[in-house]
């Protein structure tokens, strides 16, 4: 995960000394957003941190401030724990001690010290206080402003606590890793600086580009050395743990495992036949007897929701008993969905009607099935079949209404329109009179909730 040569060239051009001296920080950030996608933000931020850590790559203070500003703008608005560069900002605002016993200490990945105006500016960015106005300044203007005329620095305790929580989740060896690139010791002010832009570009390409993992993304982790644990002496262990050839050691295998019993095999055979044709009365009785004997056998008969319509059409009585035994199944909703959406027929209405009187079906399934029945009657082209289905639906609805299975008020408009459309049929006219009677006289039937 490294920048390409083209991307690195764009970044060096945007952070050039001429640009950072003349353009505002807002304009620099805008150029970054124009040239890089959001997917590139992490590798872009890693490159910025690497360049800030190396004084040779960003020799001008204005370049360094512009790079840190861009790094902040990449993840503006996100909470501190989700910012992958949180350690950088904590280290800048709360730098570690760089002296031990009066001697200056240098370490790999060391960030430069920022001036008080830069720290005040970065604090304003993090707290989002007057940050828009500050971004309209150039880096030189920020570095020359009076820190006393701006709000005090932000409280780093929140950022430090977020960093501590983040580091606590990592292993100690990861927290001890250091970058593999170490700055060359500079004996004079300019001896270590790269004098030309071309040299800066070539150095950055060597460290951050290429097919191999970039040096900027590599870290040295100390090797974790532990003593080899002693071998366990198995003196008093159980006999069977130790592989010893003895005549009394025999493998006991349960021969009944994974073997289908005779009843299960016969029930599965009859159920497979029930999907294709109507079973004889003795066969139906035998299958139902097997299911009653072992209710859990229904899960081993090969019945699945897609096969339910075939079972309903050929053997509705078996379908009813099977669905009743599947009421506690996690797939019962799928069976209901298949049932109410299957093609309307006498058998499907019989199954639905019997189920509504035996158990409490969800009202939405019953209403959906009624709507599908009405829609089928309205769209069928065969006049004879249409009249026959209308009669079946009307008798079916009268049974549901009289047994208080459904609340007629919830389907009053749809059912009334259905009766008016097929008023020529005697059963539809009778259903219409029943609706009018309930609507005008028997309020207990229309207002009371249905009893299941």
């Amino acid at each position: 995960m490294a920048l390409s040569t083209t991307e690195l060239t764009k970044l060096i051009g945007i952070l050039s000394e001429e640009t950072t001296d003349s353009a505002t920080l807002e304009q620099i950030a805008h150029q970054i957003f124009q040239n890089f996608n959001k997917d590139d933000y992490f590798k872009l931020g890693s490159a910025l941190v690497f360049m800030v850590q190396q004084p040779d790559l960003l020799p001008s203070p204005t370049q360094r401030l512009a790079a840190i500003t861009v790094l902040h703008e990449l993840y503006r608005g996100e909470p501190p724990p989700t910012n992958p560069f949180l350690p950088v900002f904590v280290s800048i605002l709360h730098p570690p001690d760089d002296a031990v016993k009066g001697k200056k200490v240098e370490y790999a990945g060391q960030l430069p010290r920022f001036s008080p105006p830069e720290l005040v500016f970065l604090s304003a960015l993090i707290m989002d206080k007057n940050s828009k106005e500050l971004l309209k300044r150039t880096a030189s203007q920020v570095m020359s402003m009076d820190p006393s005329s701006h709000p005090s620095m932000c409280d780093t305790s929140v950022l430090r606590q977020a960093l501590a929580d983040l580091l606590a989740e990592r292993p100690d060896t990861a927290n001890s890793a250091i970058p593999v690139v170490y700055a060359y010791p500079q004996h004079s002010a300019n001896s270590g600086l790269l004098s030309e832009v071309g040299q800066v570009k070539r150095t950055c390409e060597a460290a951050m580009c290429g097919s191999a993992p970039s040096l900027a993304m590599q870290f040295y982790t100390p090797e974790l050395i532990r003593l080899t644990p002693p071998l366990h002496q198995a003196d008093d262990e159980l006999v069977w743990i130790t592989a010893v050839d003895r005549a009394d050691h025999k493998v006991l295998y349960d021969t009944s495992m994974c073997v289908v019993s005779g009843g299960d095999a016969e029930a599965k055979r009859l159920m497979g036949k029930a999907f294709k044709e109507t079973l004889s009365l003795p066969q139906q009785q035998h299958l139902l007897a097997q299911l009653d004997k072992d209710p859990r056998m229904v899960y081993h008969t090969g019945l699945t929701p897609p096969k339910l319509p075939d079972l309903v059409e050929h053997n509705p009585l078996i379908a009813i008993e099977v669905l009743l035994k599947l009421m506690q199944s996690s797939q019962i909703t799928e069976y209901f969905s298949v049932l109410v959406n299957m093609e309307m027929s006498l058998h499907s209405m019989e199954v639905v009607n019997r189920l509504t009187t035996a158990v409490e079906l969800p009202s939405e399934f019953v209403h959906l099935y009624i709507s599908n029945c009405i829609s089928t009657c309205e769209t069928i082209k065969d006049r004879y079949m249409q009249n026959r289905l209308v009669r079946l639906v009307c008798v079916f609805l009268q049974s549901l209404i009289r047994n208080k299975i459904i609340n007629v008020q919830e389907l009053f408009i749809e059912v009334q329109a259905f009766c008016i459309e097929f008023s020529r049929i005697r059963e539809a006219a009778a259903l219409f009179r029943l609706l009018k009677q309930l609507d005008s006289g028997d309020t207990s039937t229309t207002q009371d909730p249905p009893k299941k």
Side-chain angles (χ1 to χ4, degrees):
M1 184 183 293
L3 293 176
S4 64
T5 305
T6 304
E7 292 172 335
L8 182 61
T9 302
K10 293 179 181 179
L11 178 60
I12 294 176
I14 295 173
L15 295 180
S16 64
E17 190 171 356
E18 294 78 5
T19 303
T20 55
D21 286 340
S22 59
T24 65
L25 295 172
E26 184 180 38
Q27 292 172 341
I28 294 174
H30 182 66
Q31 292 183 45
I32 291 291
F33 294 140
Q34 281 186 327
N35 289 276
F36 295 91
N37 299 321
K38 191 171 183 179
D39 296 338
D40 302 328
Y41 284 179
F42 180 75
K43 60 183 180 182
L44 174 61
S46 301
L48 290 171
V49 173
F50 178 75
M51 296 173 73
V52 171
Q53 291 172 334
Q54 312 303 322
D56 293 352
L57 303 182
L58 293 177
S60 171
T62 58
Q63 293 176 286
R64 182 186 65 190
L65 180 60
I68 291 298
T69 303
V70 170
L71 185 65
H72 174 271
E73 293 300 302
L74 292 178
Y75 294 92
R76 169 185 284 273
E78 295 192 13
T82 62
N83 191 331
F85 302 103
L86 175 62
V88 176
F89 296 103
V90 173
S91 180
I92 293 175
L93 295 176
H94 190 77
D97 296 333
D98 57 359
V100 177
K101 296 181 180 181
K103 297 182 180 180
K104 185 176 178 60
V105 178
E106 295 183 1
Y107 54 90
Q110 184 176 13
L111 291 169
R113 290 280 181 169
F114 282 69
S115 63
E118 292 175 303
L119 295 177
V120 171
F121 169 73
L122 185 58
S123 298
L125 289 184
I126 294 176
M127 293 188 298
D128 201 17
K129 292 184 177 180
N130 201 27
S131 59
K132 293 184 179 180
E133 295 297 328
L134 292 175
L135 287 173
K136 294 181 180 179
R137 303 183 181 185
T138 63
S140 300
Q141 292 173 342
V142 169
M143 299 178 66
S144 62
M145 69 182 183
D146 184 9
S148 61
S149 61
H150 293 272
S152 59
M153 291 181 56
C154 67
D155 184 9
T156 61
S157 60
V158 178
L159 298 180
R160 294 166 64 185
Q161 183 60 44
L163 178 59
D165 295 340
L166 185 63
L167 296 180
E169 299 176 358
R170 302 176 181 175
D172 293 338
T173 53
N175 297 334
S176 303
I178 59 174
V180 298
V181 178
Y182 196 85
Y184 184 80
Q186 299 177 12
H187 302 289
S188 63
N190 298 318
S191 61
L193 297 180
L194 301 175
S195 57
E196 296 181 1
V197 177
Q199 292 178 339
V200 172
K201 183 175 181 297
R202 287 192 295 271
T203 302
C204 291
E205 288 180 357
M208 293 186 289
C209 298
S211 57
S214 64
L215 294 176
M217 296 295 292
Q218 296 186 46
F219 296 86
Y220 170 74
T221 304
E223 183 181 359
L224 181 61
I225 302 177
R226 288 184 287 185
L227 294 176
T228 304
L231 295 177
H232 175 65
Q233 299 296 330
D235 295 331
D236 300 325
E237 297 294 330
L238 295 176
V239 177
W240 61 270
I241 293 182
T242 305
V244 179
D245 295 331
R246 292 180 58 178
D248 57 344
H249 287 178
K250 297 180 180 179
V251 178
L252 298 180
Y253 182 75
D254 186 0
T255 57
S256 63
M257 290 192 307
C258 304
V259 176
V260 181
S261 64
D264 289 343
E266 180 65 14
K268 189 173 183 179
R269 186 188 69 81
L270 290 176
M271 184 64 75
K273 188 175 181 181
F275 296 143
K276 304 175 183 178
E277 59 185 56
T278 302
L279 299 181
S280 63
L281 183 58
Q283 289 175 331
Q284 293 185 27
Q285 293 175 347
H286 180 73
L287 177 57
L288 295 177
Q290 292 291 336
L291 295 177
D292 291 337
K293 183 178 179 181
D294 183 8
R296 297 196 59 82
M297 190 184 298
V298 71
Y299 298 102
H300 308 291
T301 56
L303 176 63
T304 59
K307 294 182 179 180
L308 181 60
D310 293 333
L311 183 62
V312 170
E313 288 303 318
H314 293 103
N315 296 276
L317 295 179
I318 295 178
I320 294 170
E321 295 300 325
V322 168
L323 289 174
L324 291 176
K325 288 178 171 56
L326 289 171
M327 289 302 297
Q328 303 302 323
S329 171
S330 59
Q331 288 186 301
I332 189 60
T333 303
E334 299 181 35
Y335 285 106
F336 284 159
S337 299
V338 172
L339 178 62
V340 300
N341 287 289
M342 66 176 291
E343 185 178 352
M344 189 199 75
S345 65
L346 174 61
H347 288 169
S348 67
M349 283 192 289
E350 179 184 0
V351 172
V352 174
N353 189 32
R354 289 280 297 276
L355 287 176
T356 55
T357 57
V359 294
E360 184 177 357
L361 293 182
S363 58
E364 59 268 20
F365 285 108
V366 180
H367 293 172
L368 178 59
Y369 183 73
I370 294 174
S371 299
N372 289 344
C373 290
I374 293 176
S375 176
T376 302
C377 293
E378 292 173 346
T379 56
I380 193 170
K381 300 300 182 181
D382 191 324
R383 186 65 173 269
Y384 172 77
M385 289 300 300
Q386 185 183 56
N387 293 344
R388 184 170 180 269
L389 292 179
V390 168
R391 292 189 181 94
L392 292 175
V393 173
C394 290
V395 174
F396 174 65
L397 290 175
Q398 289 187 51
S399 174
L400 295 179
I401 294 172
R402 295 186 187 280
N403 292 325
K404 298 183 180 180
I405 301 300
I406 62 173
N407 188 345
V408 72
Q409 290 296 335
E410 298 177 359
L411 298 168
F412 187 85
I413 297 177
E414 185 177 6
V415 176
Q416 180 177 260
F418 171 73
C419 295
I420 294 175
E421 181 179 358
F422 298 101
S423 58
R424 69 181 185 277
I425 300 176
R426 181 178 56 185
E427 287 77 7
L431 177 59
F432 183 79
R433 288 193 297 270
L434 176 61
L435 293 177
K436 287 299 182 182
Q437 177 185 356
L438 296 176
D439 188 43
S440 60
D442 191 356
T443 57
S444 62
T445 304
T446 59
Q447 295 180 358
D448 294 343
K451 297 180 180 179
K452 304 277 181 89

